[in-house]
Amino acid sequence: MRKILIVGAGQSGLQLALGLQSRGYEVTLMSNRTADEIRSGRVMSTQCMFHTALQHERDLGLNFWESQAPDIEGVGVSVAGPGSARVIDWVGRLDGHAQSVDQRVKMAGWMETFAQRGGQLVIHGAAVGDLDYFSRAYDLVLVSAGKGELVSMFERDPERSPYAAPQRALAVAYVHGLGPRPEHPEFDAVRCNLVPGVGELFVMPTLTTSGRADILFWEGVPGGPLDVFQGVKDPDEHLSLTLGLLEEFLPWEYARATKAELTDAGGTLAGRYAPTVRKPVGRLPGGGLVLGVADVVVANDPITGQGSNSASKCAASYLSAIVEHGDRPFDEAWMRATFERYWATARHATKWTNAMLAPPPEHVLTLLGAAGDLKPVADRFANGFNDPADFEDYFYEAARAEAYLAEVASA
Ligand SMILES: Cc1cc2nc3c(=O)[nH]c(=O)nc-3n(C[C@H](O)[C@H](O)[C@H](O)COP(=O)(O)OP(=O)(O)OC[C@H]3O[C@@H](n4cnc5c(N)ncnc54)[C@H](O)[C@@H]3O)c2cc1C
């Protein structure tokens, strides 16, 4: 059977490894951390995944935590106005539920499953030199190592990467003790709070190592009032900064957060990165080729919660491309075609995410405002998180947005 090496055991690497394993491929998975180190380590994401991405996991029988994780049935949008008044506030309903399963839980569990099913798991932080050697021993080497150092093998694609620097400073806190949303507490939702010119706060339920929890996730415009987490090492200080900013900018979220406590000492994360699309084929010093997967080749800012979704879609797309290719060589032409097939979907997530990082144009503010009165607009926006291709029809151009609003209003 064909031998495949996958470097990096995150959403895309593990999903692909388990998928290929179930099709009879001989898979080696290289991870720089053990399952226990991941489980007891720091949170890595907020990992809210929507219907299509979750379905790829179900298709492979990997939805191990689906019955325990809270079902997220809506996406709410609030906008803060002058004096921290809440000038926009609505919630759109998702056609299929979303879920967030702490990557510490999921990746550790999937890694153990891969090994239990006979997969070769190597705990080693791979360097470019290692890959040179391995590329001769395997039919295909896939690099799914996220935004780590191995991305240096893949050239930045300036035509597909409009930003050269980070657009948000990220700060995540996993908490127990958050009160319910006062509006529609009968179902769980992701709440997106926009503070114009300052940043965004996302609040969502998750399943973490200690059961159900909620995540408070600030995205701050660099250099602005939310950009205060860099260098904060003490998790309690991180939480108190998070709550102080809630009180200042989003009093309605602060009102339910006064009893919030960190889930664990690893329950905070801060950082930033430039959204980047890369060329998909890495050339090793010895001449071998490797194919980049998910964040390695398309890393979007998490403002739209697309990265894990895209990683799942990338793994599903690459799995099909590998299986369909049969016994033919995985050459450069196949690698490029495989990436372009994924990019046909991924480009929509990238375009929408990059648009949301910029100050919103007037017609987008009009759309967001109108969604408060027009339920179909709120529902459509919410479902765009599952399929960002839909924004093409009504979101980017003022004329299309106006036509869509007129159509809904007259219906
Ligand atoms: C703050 C934050 C919030 C986010 N929220 C969301 C969200 O709500 N929804 C969403 O869809 N996405 C979200 N994302 C994005 C999402 O987490 C990532 O896009 C997704 O995890 C990418 O999956 P991946 O498989 O490409 O890489 P990763 O999940 O990063 O996995 C890469 C793995 O490779 C390992 N590795 C790295 N280097 C090496 C090496 N040299 N050798 C061996 N192993 C290596 C790493 O340790 C890691 O385990 C968020 C990201 C951040 C930072």
Side-chain angles (χ1 to χ4, degrees), residues 137-154:
Y138 288 85
D139 294 303
L140 174 64
V141 177
L142 296 158
V143 180
S144 51
K147 297 175 281 289
E149 284 165 19
L150 290 181
V151 296
S152 61
M153 278 190 295
F154 302 87

Side-chain angles (χ1 to χ4, degrees), residues 295-357:
D295 264 16
V296 167
V297 278
V298 183
N300 295 316
D301 187 277
I303 189 167
T304 50
Q306 291 297 300
S308 299
N309 290 274
S310 295
S312 167
K313 292 171 187 175
C314 185
S317 176
Y318 281 22
L319 176 61
S320 301
I322 292 168
V323 171
E324 286 165 19
H325 203 57
D327 288 332
R328 285 168 286 169
F330 295 113
D331 56 15
E332 185 166 354
W334 175 85
M335 288 183 180
R336 291 194 189 287
T338 296
F339 173 71
E340 288 305 321
R341 176 169 162 178
Y342 164 57
W343 176 247
T345 311
R347 70 188 178 88
H348 294 292
T350 297
K351 180 174 178 179
W352 179 48
T353 304
N354 289 337
M356 294 298 284
L357 288 168

Side-chain angles (χ1 to χ4, degrees), residues 383-397:
N383 285 291
F385 282 79
N386 178 52
D387 177 16
D390 185 49
F391 290 114
E392 209 59 63
D393 288 336
Y394 75 102
F395 191 77
Y396 301 115
E397 290 166 32

Side-chain angles (χ1 to χ4, degrees), residues 165-187:
Q167 298 299 301
R168 292 291 187 275
L170 316 174
V172 170
Y174 280 47
V175 297
H176 288 305
L178 193 75
R181 286 176 303 119
E183 323 77 16
H184 302 293
E186 71 278 8
F187 65 90

Side-chain angles (χ1 to χ4, degrees), residues 194-264:
L194 315 184
V195 188
V198 174
E200 299 80 20
L201 174 86
F202 300 91
V203 187
M204 73 196 78
T206 190
L207 177 73
T208 185
T209 48
S210 48
R212 189 201 150 108
D214 287 279
I215 306 175
L216 302 170
F217 172 24
W218 276 116
E219 285 238 342
V221 172
L226 305 178
D227 189 0
V228 292
F229 293 88
Q230 214 165 7
V232 175
K233 295 271 178 284
D234 176 13
D236 292 324
E237 188 187 344
H238 182 115
L239 179 62
S240 92
L241 279 171
T242 299
L243 296 177
L245 293 166
L246 243 62
E247 187 174 16
E248 183 177 351
F249 291 105
L250 301 167
W252 58 90
E253 295 292 3
Y254 181 69
R256 64 186 181 125
T258 49
K259 295 196 172 64
E261 289 177 2
L262 285 178
T263 53
D264 61 283

